[in-house]
């Protein structure tokens, strides 16, 4: 071993440098030191005529060790760039043998080798843009020289990898290796030596030619798809330098650009999200080795929009699922919607016809519970009414084997009360999907008072298996996401009463980075959904609290949003563009007059504070109550379920960038004007007083 993380061996005059830093061979300091020591040893050993770099375990190398970013480095630290420069100077053939992931700095290491072999299903990419960065160790210079500027930019600006077959087709790898990769690499080295091939330094390959306006055009197109992100444009600039300036200048420029971006808020936010998603999987009192149940078969009750989307999640993961509804026409409608969703994905070229058919074949329609059989999990997605849910659960409890997990997709109701309708509350859990369920990545996993740990562990694992981000939350009204949303929507309504127009509030929220503002979002979801819930609560609504009636008045006029062609906005036939409607403005102005409110111009800053600070304040309460395990979980929920701008890292990360004191002082200011709904959460007050961060909050 040249270091605890890199093994060194020789075979017939070829040195083997094996990266061994599980789970993903990230380029930690120990790995970097091991590579440099191994290279120097191989170059100094006259018996060694070539060197193969290979990864042990799951893959080749997932790039720089992200967990080391921002941490102090030892004075003699080995930087990846040093390794790349040493590879460039190497006088003996260097061959990279790739299986599994070769990402970021891992691919850059391979690009600095003279030749590359890969397994057909290897995954090669420069995903740095996903953590707000860019390739910083030669990737922006070397990848275009191998595969061309446009394919290279596509990989860098999307962050999406290509597999071994594509890489071979594009010239990124020189040979595909079926079977024993190490043997193939040693054989390849043998041929290189036998044929005395000239060393093929990627950096010395000719810079690919591009049209004079190529980069301008590329940047213009990128603007449309990467709102708010800087990193993709930095990659374009570095690739441009790589084909227009000298290798030395371009390399220095890339390094400087990378180092600057490493400290940028965008990178900090996206690196925070990277680890936040992985942390969300860890439940303090449910150890990682808690036994989980195999989910070999599922069932979904209710073939409506949510039920159909949930059934697709199982089929997409290869899990057979029975889709149950009470009437044939409801089933037929549900299946038509599912088939339509798949057909659109096929049209967009993101799924083959045969894959579509295979997934549809995994969905078995059924009327009534008779055909349920023995599913390992049943997810209920029926009407959002407690008596109906309890009746369904009582029936499922009666007909399903005792081992079956019973899950509810409720978005607002008390999971414990639903569990109470069964004799197996320990097997009952909430699985709150987000619409459209087959698209949205977020899954709020709701832990009931009695939910057993193996049921929690099984459901969290299932979330990963159906490619969702599972976040564990407690039972409270609206769980985490919707509970926080209430304050945001409340204030948006009040801002409109006080002087703003829906399009002004939406513009401010969109400028902050959300895909759309609260009013356009309400029109998309349908105003009648909220209206039904508000009407259901009218009798118990506290009279002393302010309540905005504008949304109700719109609904009384039949304005339910996009589905009726009019809501807060009006919509042209077949066009989803929200258009301000003078009738709505007139209704708003009349309502303000009725309420005796003198309308005033409202600044963007106030709109943002009034909409975002209630989110943060409510999240502080949620954390105190233990309804969320950690602040980063709240971020994962808002990033994956509510469109919070990724480059801001989520509401709690954003709050920590502003500082609790700033938010607390503003909340107090609004409390003085708007009263009780703005009462600061004790945690917010404490962090403001102590100068603490939500990121460091841990519940006693
Ligand atoms: N650094 C540190 N830890 C990493 C890591 C990395 N690069 N990649 C993964 N991990 C940890 C992760 O936190 C988790 O830990 C465990 O490994 C398993 O990961 C100059 C500077 C490789 C596709 O952006 O995309 O190189 O939770 O759960 O689903 O240009 O991890 O178990 O404690 O995600 O199978 C560029 C990031 C770095 C790749 C595997 N590289 N990683 O996915 O497992 S920047 C990346 C991934 C760079 C140079 C620049 C994925 C994966 P824990 P996992 P997975």
């Amino acid at each position: 071993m040249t270091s605890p993380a890199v093994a060194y061996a020789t075979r017939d005059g070829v040195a083997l440098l094996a990266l061994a830093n599980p789970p993903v061979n990230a380029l930690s300091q120990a790995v970097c030191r091991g590579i440099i020591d191994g290279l120097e040893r191989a170059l100094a050993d006259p018996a060694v005529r070539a060197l193969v770099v290979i990864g042990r375990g799951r893959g080749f190398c997932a790039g720089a060790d992200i967990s080391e970013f921002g941490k102090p480095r030892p004075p003699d630290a080995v930087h990846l760039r040093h390794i790349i420069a040493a590879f460039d100077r190497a006088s003996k053939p260097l061959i990279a043998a790739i299986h599994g992931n070769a990402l970021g700095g891992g691919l850059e290491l391979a690009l600095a080798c003279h030749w590359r072999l890969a397994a057909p299903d290897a995954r090669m990419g420069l995903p740095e843009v996903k953590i707000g960065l860019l390739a910083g160790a030669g990737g922006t210079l070397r990848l275009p020289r191998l595969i061309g500027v446009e394919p290279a930019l596509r990989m860098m600006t999307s962050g999406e990898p290509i597999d071994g077959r594509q890489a071979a087709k594009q010239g990124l790898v020189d040979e595909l290796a079926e079977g024993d990769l190490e043997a193939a690499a040693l054989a390849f080295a043998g041929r290189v030596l036998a044929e005395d091939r000239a060393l093929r330094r990627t950096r010395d390959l000719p810079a690919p030619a591009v049209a004079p306006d190529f980069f301008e055009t590329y940047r213009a197109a990128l603007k449309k798809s990467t709102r708010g992100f800087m990193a993709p444009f930095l990659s374009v600039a570095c690739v441009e330098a790589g084909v227009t300036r000298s290798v030395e200048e371009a390399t220095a420029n890339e390094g400087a650009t990378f180092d600057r971006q490493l400290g940028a808020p965008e990178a900090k936010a996206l690196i925070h999200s990277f680890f936040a998603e992985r942390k969300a999987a860890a439940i303090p009192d449910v150890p990682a080795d808690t036994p989980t149940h195999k989910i070999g078969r599922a069932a979904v009750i209710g073939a409506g929009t949510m039920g159909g989307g949930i059934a697709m999640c199982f089929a997409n993961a290869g899990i057979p699922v029975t889709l149950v509804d009470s009437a044939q026409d409801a089933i037929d409608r549900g299946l038509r919607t599912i088939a339509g969703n798949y057909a659109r994905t096929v049209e967009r070229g993101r799924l083959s016809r045969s894959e579509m058919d295979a997934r549809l074949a995994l969905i078995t329609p059924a009327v009534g519970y008779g055909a349920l059989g023995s599913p390992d999990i049943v997810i209920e997605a029926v009407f959002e009414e407690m008596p109906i849910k309890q009746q369904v659960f009582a029936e499922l409890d009666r007909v399903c084997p005792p081992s079956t997990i019973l899950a509810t997709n409720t978005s607002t109701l008390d999971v414990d009360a639903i569990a109470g309708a069964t004799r197996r509350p320990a097997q009952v859990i909430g699985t709150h999907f987000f619409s459209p369920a087959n698209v949205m990545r977020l899954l709020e996993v709701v832990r009931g008072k009695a939910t057993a740990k193996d049921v929690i562990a099984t459901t969290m694992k299932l979330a990963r298996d159906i490619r969702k981000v599972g976040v564990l939350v407690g039972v409270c009204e609206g769980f985490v996401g919707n509970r926080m949303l209430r304050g945001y929507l409340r204030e948006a309504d009040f801002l409109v009463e006080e002087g703003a127009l829906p399009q002004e509030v939406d513009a401010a929220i969109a400028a902050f980075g959300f895909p759309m503002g609260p009013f356009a979002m309400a029109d998309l979801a349908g105003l009648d959904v909220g209206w039904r819930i508000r009407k259901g609560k009218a009798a118990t609504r506290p009279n002393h609290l302010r309540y905005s009636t504008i949304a109700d008045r719109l609904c009384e006029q039949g304005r339910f949003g996009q589905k009726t062609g009019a809501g807060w906005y009006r919509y042209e036939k077949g066009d989803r563009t929200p258009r301000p409607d003078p009738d709505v403005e007139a209704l708003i102005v009349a309502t303000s007059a009725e309420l005796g409110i003198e309308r005033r111009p409202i600044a963007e800053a106030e709109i943002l504070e009034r909409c975002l600070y209630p989110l943060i304040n409510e999240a502080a309460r949620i954390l105190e109550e233990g309804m969320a395990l950690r602040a980063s979980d709240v971020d994962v929920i808002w990033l994956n379920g509510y469109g919070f701008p990724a480059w801001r890292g989520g509401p709690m990360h954003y709050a920590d960038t502003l500082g609790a004191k700033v938010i607390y002082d503003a909340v107090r200011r609004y409390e003085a004007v708007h009263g009780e709904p703005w009462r600061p959460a004790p945690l917010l007050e404490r962090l403001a007083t102590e100068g603490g961060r939500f990121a460091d909050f841990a519940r006693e």
Side-chain angles (χ1 to χ4, degrees):
M1 297 289 275
T2 64
S3 89
V6 178
Y8 184 93
T10 59
R11 305 255 191 295
D12 311 325
V14 178
L16 260 173
L17 214 50
L19 314 187
N21 180 26
V24 295
N25 292 337
L27 294 163
S28 63
Q29 256 314 291
V31 173
C32 289
R33 177 153 302 289
I35 295 172
I36 273 285
D37 293 352
L39 177 70
E40 284 162 6
R41 184 171 170 187
L43 294 177
D45 183 345
V48 170
R49 300 173 57 218
L51 187 140
V52 168
V53 183
I54 193 164
R56 292 289 180 238
R58 285 165 49 176
F60 181 73
C61 171
D65 187 332
I66 307 170
S67 65
E68 290 184 352
F69 287 168
K71 295 203 178 111
R73 295 163 70 85
D76 63 345
V78 175
H79 195 293
L80 179 56
R81 283 178 222 145
H82 302 154
I83 298 173
I84 303 296
F87 274 37
D88 278 345
R89 292 191 299 273
S91 55
K92 297 180 180 179
L94 303 177
I95 295 146
I98 301 168
H99 77 293
N101 292 305
L103 303 173
L107 182 60
E108 290 174 299
L109 196 63
L111 289 170
C113 292
H114 305 118
W115 292 279
R116 285 150 294 282
L117 276 79
D121 60 356
R123 296 166 77 244
M124 281 156 269
L126 294 176
E128 285 85 346
V129 76
K130 292 189 176 178
I131 51 172
L133 293 172
L134 63 148
T140 65
L141 189 113
R142 288 180 173 76
L143 188 61
R145 278 169 164 69
L146 274 176
I147 69 173
V149 168
E150 188 142 21
L153 274 177
R154 201 174 313 121
M155 285 174 71
M156 289 180 217
T157 55
S158 71
E160 293 308 319
I162 60 174
D163 67 20
R165 291 183 189 83
Q166 292 166 294
K169 246 194 247 124
Q170 295 186 30
L172 175 50
V173 302
D174 303 283
E175 196 169 288
L176 283 179
E178 307 270 2
D180 184 337
L181 177 67
E182 187 173 306
L186 291 170
F188 186 92
R191 289 199 300 280
V192 164
L193 293 168
E195 296 157 19
D196 193 21
R197 287 195 208 168
L199 301 184
R200 190 166 174 265
R201 288 192 178 82
T202 318
R203 56 161 276 159
D204 297 341
L205 295 175
V210 287
D213 63 347
F214 171 84
F215 289 104
E216 239 14 78
T217 316
Y218 200 94
R219 268 185 273 269
L222 205 52
K223 272 209 184 82
K224 297 197 192 93
S225 61
T226 56
R227 213 161 62 87
F229 294 92
M230 265 309 291
F233 295 92
L234 298 176
S235 291
V236 177
C238 287
V239 168
E240 184 171 17
V243 296
T244 56
R245 296 161 68 177
S246 74
V247 170
E248 289 66 27
E249 284 172 336
T251 303
N253 171 65
E254 180 199 68
T257 307
F258 178 90
D259 293 347
R260 247 192 336 273
Q261 184 63 4
L262 196 54
E266 176 183 333
K268 289 192 175 143
L270 290 164
I271 290 168
H272 162 76
S273 315
F274 176 85
F275 286 116
E277 258 189 48
R278 284 146 185 88
K279 231 186 280 172
I283 316 290
D285 67 334
V286 180
D289 60 1
T290 301
T292 58
H293 306 281
K294 180 172 168 22
I295 303 293
R297 180 159 201 87
V300 175
I301 312 301
T305 312
M306 289 307 290
I310 297 168
M312 288 177 73
C313 295
F314 284 105
N316 295 349
I319 301 172
V321 55
T322 306
L323 182 58
V324 175
D325 209 306
S326 52
Q328 190 59 47
D329 60 346
I331 282 284
D332 297 342
R333 210 172 27 252
L335 287 176
R336 276 198 303 278
T337 306
I338 292 172
N341 290 343
Y342 279 131
R344 268 189 299 285
T345 313
V346 170
E347 271 157 36
R348 293 194 192 118
R350 288 210 297 266
L351 190 70
S352 71
R353 181 72 220 197
S354 59
E355 282 166 331
M356 167 177 170
D357 296 341
R359 293 178 189 194
L360 282 171
L362 287 171
I363 303 175
T364 309
V367 175
Y369 299 121
L372 259 184
S374 308
D376 302 303
I377 188 168
V378 180
I379 301 198
E380 160 279 314
V382 301
F383 226 58
E384 192 71 353
E385 301 233 355
M386 185 56 87
I388 298 176
K389 299 243 188 229
Q390 290 176 320
Q391 193 207 340
V392 169
F393 270 70
E395 188 59 13
L396 289 173
D397 187 32
R398 197 180 59 74
V399 299
C400 290
S403 61
T404 301
I405 294 173
L406 304 183
T408 170
N409 180 52
T410 180
S411 55
T412 56
L413 299 175
D414 181 343
V415 172
D416 292 324
I418 295 172
T422 74
R423 290 156 301 165
R424 61 171 92 184
Q427 295 286 104
V428 175
I429 194 163
T431 49
H432 178 209
F433 287 77
F434 287 73
S435 183
N438 55 307
V439 176
M440 297 298 281
R441 289 184 71 224
L442 179 64
L443 182 64
E444 278 187 327
V445 176
V446 189
R447 174 184 198 158
K449 281 198 195 69
T451 307
K453 293 184 178 177
D454 61 326
V455 171
I456 294 170
T458 302
T459 311
M460 291 296 283
K461 178 177 179 307
L462 176 65
R464 283 195 298 282
D465 294 345
I466 61 174
R467 293 190 278 285
K468 300 292 180 194
V469 185
V471 181
L472 192 75
V473 300
V475 175
C476 58
E477 197 182 332
F479 312 130
V480 171
N482 286 350
R483 178 173 160 182
M484 291 166 66
L485 189 65
R486 274 201 310 254
Y488 169 88
L489 297 176
R490 178 196 70 223
E491 290 301 314
D493 285 349
F494 292 163
L495 284 162
V496 160
E497 282 183 350
E498 293 165 32
L501 291 172
Q503 57 270 32
E504 290 165 344
V505 174
D506 281 358
I509 296 292
F512 179 80
F514 280 87
M516 67 176 69
F519 297 104
M521 183 168 80
D523 274 359
L524 175 68
L527 304 188
D528 51 329
V529 183
W531 192 34
R532 217 182 1 260
I533 294 171
R534 288 193 302 276
K535 281 199 282 188
K537 290 194 179 146
T540 55
R541 189 180 305 121
N543 294 331
H544 71 284
L545 285 181
R546 182 179 172 188
Y547 174 76
S548 174
T549 61
I550 300 175
D552 295 348
R553 295 178 188 210
L554 291 173
C555 290
E556 283 146 17
Q557 296 174 8
R559 301 178 66 110
F560 295 156
Q562 286 191 13
K563 58 180 147 189
T564 56
W568 286 100
Y569 297 96
R570 63 180 180 78
Y571 300 84
E572 306 286 340
K573 210 160 176 24
D575 180 353
R576 290 166 172 258
T577 314
R579 299 174 195 281
D581 189 332
D583 295 347
V584 173
E585 186 169 339
L587 172 69
I588 290 170
V589 172
T591 308
S592 305
E594 252 176 56
L595 295 166
I597 296 174
E598 192 175 330
R599 296 182 62 75
R600 60 185 174 88
I602 300 183
E604 183 174 304
E606 179 179 348
I607 291 173
L608 289 178
E609 289 183 349
R610 295 266 304 265
C611 288
L612 299 176
Y613 289 3
L615 286 183
I616 296 162
N617 198 25
E618 192 61 29
R621 287 200 180 82
I622 287 170
L623 289 167
E624 286 159 329
E625 295 165 18
M627 292 300 142
L629 290 171
R630 49 187 83 86
S632 60
D633 283 7
V634 176
D635 288 334
V636 173
I637 286 172
W638 271 76
L639 290 166
N640 293 287
Y642 297 83
F644 199 94
W647 43 279
R648 291 189 186 273
M652 309 323 284
H653 179 82
Y654 172 66
D656 282 341
T657 58
L658 294 178
K661 178 106 176 48
V662 170
I663 298 163
Y664 174 72
D665 292 348
V667 168
R668 292 299 307 268
R669 264 202 324 278
Y670 290 122
E671 184 194 19
V673 180
H674 301 287
E676 183 188 325
W678 279 91
R679 185 170 310 132
L683 173 60
L684 178 61
E685 183 165 5
R686 182 153 61 84
L687 294 179
T689 321
E690 298 167 0
R693 300 182 328 135
F694 285 104
D696 306 325
F697 169 75
R699 200 156 172 270
E700 309 304 326

